[in-house]
Amino acid sequence: MPLATNNQLKNQIELKIGELANFATVNKALILTETDLQCQIYKKLSEIEDLNTFSNTNDGFLTNKIHTEISWFSDNNTDRLSIRPDITLLEPRNLRITSRFNGTPLPSKGLHSIDGGIIMELKFDRNLKTISEKNFRGIDKDIKNIEKIHNRFSSNGIGNQIYSYLILFIKSPESSINRGKIRSIQQELNNRGLNDSKCKFIYHFIGVV
């Protein structure tokens, strides 16, 4: 079963992210930066046996399914790898690192995958009063990048082979202002056709010291 349509796996992923949020709410120094958030989510995903079990790529190299900062093409008409999600989950058997599946040289990212898998864009907001405008703009950029990837897969007739998460951890309180911003983010996803069947928006208020 493709990772993108594996609902049992997605339930496990969402459970692990919730566990991390609960732990970070109590242990305030656990996540200090966005890179910390990326590392901690990688660590929690590694607790899922299906993601952390090693198997061979199509060309015979062992790996697990969890990767970071893998570059993606934004559309079918460019050779520019302009999108780089924070975390990508890939099926090893659908991955090559020596050549493309048709034998031609690899793109500059050094790998070729024929299955989209699952991508994750992460944001950590450290503002203690409200979700910062800088992060709000960054989330809008992430949503546009997610949309580009989904559109590329859909135009190739394989839209069901990609799934996305937009994950936001917030230090400021769950105020009416923040709830309004959360609603705006979800509305923007919906406006771009990125409902829960394509992209799940997960947010957690982890509190201030």
Side-chain angles (χ1 to χ4, degrees):
M1 179 185 296
L3 296 177
T5 57
N6 188 334
N7 290 328
Q8 181 178 355
L9 173 62
K10 287 187 275 190
N11 288 337
Q12 289 178 288
I13 289 170
E14 292 161 27
L15 177 65
K16 291 300 178 182
I17 293 170
E19 288 177 359
L20 174 60
N22 290 337
F23 193 68
T25 299
V26 176
N27 299 280
K28 304 296 186 183
L30 182 70
I31 299 173
L32 302 178
T33 67
E34 199 160 282
T35 303
D36 279 352
L37 177 60
Q38 183 185 41
C39 292
Q40 292 296 334
I41 288 181
Y42 189 108
K43 182 179 177 182
K44 292 300 292 185
L45 294 175
S46 297
E47 296 175 4
I48 301 174
E49 184 177 2
D50 184 45
L51 294 181
N52 205 35
T53 299
F54 278 62
S55 58
N56 282 322
T57 63
N58 181 268
D59 43 5
F61 299 93
L62 282 175
T63 184
N64 65 2
K65 297 176 182 175
I66 315 168
H67 305 279
T68 63
E69 309 291 340
I70 287 180
S71 299
W72 294 68
F73 296 110
S74 59
D75 58 58
N76 292 323
N77 302 312
T78 181
D79 291 327
R80 192 164 65 92
L81 294 158
S82 59
I83 302 175
R84 193 171 61 184
D86 296 295
I87 293 176
T88 299
L89 308 181
L90 295 173
E91 188 66 63
R93 66 175 176 269
N94 295 325
L95 177 67
R96 289 183 63 85
I97 61 169
T98 56
S99 67
R100 295 178 189 254
F101 277 79
N102 63 6
T104 58
L106 294 170
S108 60
K109 63 180 176 178
L111 61 94
H112 184 215
S113 174
I114 57 171
D115 177 32
I118 296 174
I119 61 173
M120 299 181 179
E121 290 285 10
L122 315 177
K123 279 287 179 288
F124 175 56
D125 193 276
R126 289 178 288 186
N127 194 306
L128 301 183
K129 294 182 178 179
T130 184
I131 298 170
S132 71
E133 289 304 313
K134 179 181 178 181
N135 266 335
F136 204 60
R137 292 191 299 271
I139 290 167
D140 185 64
K141 181 180 178 181
D142 287 343
I143 291 172
K144 290 176 181 176
N145 285 339
I146 291 170
E147 181 187 28
K148 288 176 183 177
I149 292 175
H150 277 270
N151 286 346
R152 183 167 69 85
F153 274 78
S154 294
S155 68
N156 292 332
I158 52 174
N160 66 332
Q161 292 185 17
I162 187 74
Y163 191 79
S164 304
Y165 284 100
L166 176 62
I167 301 170
L168 173 62
F169 274 41
I170 309 155
K171 292 204 75 172
S172 54
E174 190 174 353
S175 64
S176 59
I177 294 175
N178 277 339
R179 288 194 296 270
K181 290 184 176 182
I182 293 296
R183 286 193 296 271
S184 295
I185 293 167
Q186 186 63 67
Q187 187 61 52
E188 183 65 17
L189 287 166
N190 294 341
N191 290 344
R192 294 181 178 276
L194 298 171
N195 55 30
D196 280 1
S197 66
K198 294 182 179 180
C199 178
K200 183 73 173 286
F201 176 37
I202 297 175
Y203 61 91
H204 290 284
F205 292 91
I206 61 172
V208 297
V209 176

